[in-house]
Amino acid sequence: MSNPFENAMMQLKRATAVQPFPEAFMKQISSPNREVRISIPVMMDNGTLQVFEGYRVEHNNARGPYKGGIRFHHDTDINEVKALAFWMALKCAVANIPMGGGKGGVTVDPKTLSKTELEKLSRGWARGMADILGPKKDVPAPDVNTTPEIMSWMNDEYMKISGETTLATFTGKPLDKGGSEGRGAATGLGGYYVFDALRSKYNIAEGASVVIQGFGNVGGNAAEIFLAHGYKIIAMSDSKGGVVNEAGLDIKALEEWKKSNGALAGFPGSRTVTNAELLELPCDVLIPAALENQITATNAGSVKAKFILELANGPITPEADEALYERGIPVVPDILANSGGVTVSTFEWEQNLKGEHWTEADVNAKMKEILDMESGIIYDKSVAVNTDLRRAAFIVALERIAKAMGY
Ligand code: NAD
């Protein structure tokens, strides 16, 4: 599998070939400010001790405290976390929120842990990282396989260690523990706002057909939101594979089916597909919302979608980007498309710092205002420098970070 950090650096190279930046800035932005690795010992339910490897990468904080999620996944390693931290720095700059970029993770398959073990691991991560965290230093959030409950365990552990009573060190917490209205659905809803702001520029009509890879927080919410706005979700998948129904899937019923059957396969009225086949289905809009490196040089030529909205981080490799660009398939890059999540996380941090609680309508309206504006700025940049939306988004973000760093 290709190294996500090398891919991220290739993206940086492609973007800065279109618009160059000072050499000294390029050197600084190409490596993280800090990489931390910790061992997290967990006494398992069967009485044996297991040691897990945990990470936090702090890429850049020129625009504000490091910000970014924590991923629990068996394939997570330092290179993945480094790439994700770099993308977070750019993403926060794209959304123009006062945050830098960081990311965390643990190499673990959380499905193999009991709830007690999961809580011990989560608290262990917060304990091991406590020195570098804090509302003015580094503010983590959920990512793949981490939940509001995990954030509340981590925040609680951090408060015990630091003696601080602030709730503002972790975002994505449950509502009754300092969470923000609208955070759960923010990435999916923000993705919809970005899509809606850009679709007419690429002749994508309302009610178009949509294929979504991933049925977690992001994919699941996106499916419901697109459906509620009149779009037809013709295929969905999770890690075990997907289902297709060209007449449109009933997402609520599919969720129920997945809950009772443990997989999507067999959903009435649908046919089963692999994740590889799903990416090649004819459709108007393809939404990768699972993991990185899904569309590569190998399958980019077979993608039949007319438009791609990257809600996952890094689902398209740079080689595939090139191939899709040549084929005229527009891609809304992750650092714009999924920036609603970190935007509302930042609102949560702000509410915690001020002791406020905003309504869901307020949160969504503020997010929409930001995403509409930034989508327009990035589209205009892509036209001005005659490139794709990814390179345009990189250039806008790099300009903002470079300015904050005094270049
Ligand atoms: P999640 O853990 O809630 O869901 C992940 C989904 O992906 C699950 O349905 C899982 O079955 C599926 N999946 C895993 N491996 C797969 C594979 N090989 N093929 C197909 N599906 C697979 O995670 P999430 O929070 O929904 O995150 C999904 C993506 O969105 C990640 O790339 C994440 O970094 C990105 N993202 C998340 C947020 C957020 O707010 N949660 C914000 C921005 C970006």
Side-chain angles (χ1 to χ4, degrees):
M1 194 171 99
S2 52
N3 174 332
F5 189 67
E6 282 172 12
N7 285 347
M9 290 301 105
M10 269 165 75
Q11 292 174 334
L12 178 66
K13 219 169 145 185
R14 286 183 82 226
T16 53
V18 174
Q19 181 175 310
F21 284 79
E23 201 186 327
F25 170 71
M26 289 304 294
K27 281 186 186 158
Q28 274 185 278
I29 201 66
S30 301
S31 55
N33 289 350
R34 173 151 59 179
E35 283 176 41
V36 179
R37 290 186 199 219
I38 55 171
S39 295
I40 311 171
V42 173
M43 187 57 77
M44 307 299 277
D45 294 350
N46 65 8
T48 61
L49 187 96
Q50 207 168 316
V51 178
F52 296 91
E53 189 167 13
Y55 317 93
R56 186 72 181 167
V57 174
E58 297 181 330
H59 192 86
N60 185 284
N61 62 351
R63 303 184 76 258
Y66 300 103
K67 182 100 197 73
I70 305 163
R71 179 173 291 194
F72 285 2
H73 196 272
H74 54 275
D75 285 334
T76 289
D77 64 11
I78 192 71
N79 285 317
E80 182 183 63
V81 179
K82 275 171 70 176
L84 291 162
F86 169 72
W87 288 324
M88 283 309 300
L90 298 187
K91 190 180 303 182
C92 293
V94 158
N96 217 356
I97 48 182
M99 291 289 179
K103 200 82 181 188
V106 176
T107 311
V108 59
D109 178 357
K111 291 189 188 104
T112 63
L113 302 184
S114 70
K115 193 166 173 184
T116 319
E117 292 163 347
L118 186 64
E119 179 171 351
K120 286 181 188 168
L121 178 67
S122 306
R123 289 183 180 275
W125 189 94
R127 223 172 16 252
M129 298 296 180
D131 282 352
I132 61 167
L133 305 179
K136 304 279 166 65
K137 294 198 282 185
D138 186 339
V139 185
D143 190 67
V144 173
N145 290 328
T146 50
T147 59
E149 188 175 38
I150 291 177
M151 294 305 113
S152 70
W153 291 330
M154 289 184 167
N155 201 69
D156 181 61
E157 195 65 25
Y158 175 79
M159 289 198 301
K160 280 186 198 159
I161 292 168
S162 64
E164 286 178 31
T165 52
T166 178
L167 294 171
T169 307
F170 288 81
T171 59
K173 301 179 293 293
L175 268 182
D176 61 353
K177 297 212 162 62
S180 174
E181 303 288 344
R183 174 61 185 95
T187 308
L189 181 61
Y192 176 75
Y193 289 152
V194 171
F195 166 79
D196 197 43
L198 293 172
R199 66 171 176 80
S200 59
K201 318 251 188 231
Y202 300 98
N203 301 318
I204 302 293
E206 278 182 79
S209 63
V210 179
V211 166
I212 304 181
Q213 184 195 40
F215 206 163
N217 171 303
V218 178
N221 278 303
E224 284 182 21
I225 293 160
F226 274 77
L227 187 64
H229 285 88
Y231 290 85
K232 193 163 65 168
I233 316 299
I234 60 167
M236 294 271 322
S237 69
D238 65 12
S239 57
K240 295 183 185 139
V243 287
V244 190
N245 180 349
E246 276 81 6
L249 292 164
D250 176 340
I251 300 301
K252 280 263 182 273
L254 186 58
E255 257 171 37
E256 287 307 314
W257 178 268
K258 181 173 150 77
K259 257 186 222 151
S260 28
N261 296 278
L264 302 173
F267 182 62
S270 73
R271 65 175 199 279
T272 305
V273 282
T274 64
N275 264 296
E277 289 163 347
L278 177 120
L279 297 170
E280 298 177 11
L281 289 171
C283 61
D284 296 312
V285 183
L286 173 63
I287 305 185
L291 295 172
E292 53 268 18
N293 295 333
Q294 298 301 301
I295 302 177
T296 64
T298 314
N299 61 357
S302 311
V303 168
K304 292 173 198 74
K306 297 190 182 113
F307 185 90
I308 302 179
L309 183 72
E310 280 190 333
L311 291 190
N313 285 307
I316 302 180
T317 64
E319 296 86 356
D321 246 350
E322 195 60 52
L324 294 168
Y325 188 55
E326 275 167 20
R327 293 183 57 211
I329 301 174
V331 174
V332 186
D334 45 10
I335 59 171
L336 172 63
N338 68 31
S339 64
V342 73
T343 301
V344 175
S345 265
T346 302
F347 295 163
E348 181 175 329
W349 169 81
E350 195 180 332
Q351 290 169 77
N352 293 153
L353 288 176
K354 293 179 177 164
E356 292 177 357
H357 190 83
W358 305 348
T359 66
E360 187 173 351
D362 268 352
V363 166
N364 291 346
K366 280 176 202 271
M367 167 169 68
K368 186 174 187 318
E369 194 183 330
I370 289 176
L371 297 181
D372 282 352
M373 185 155 93
E374 301 305 333
S375 299
I377 289 173
I378 286 163
Y379 177 78
D380 290 347
K381 176 64 92 176
S382 76
V383 174
V385 299
N386 190 23
T387 192
D388 56 18
L389 291 170
R390 187 182 320 278
R391 283 176 279 197
F394 265 58
I395 292 167
V396 168
L398 292 169
E399 282 173 347
R400 290 173 178 171
I401 297 171
K403 194 168 173 211
M405 290 171 75
Y407 286 97

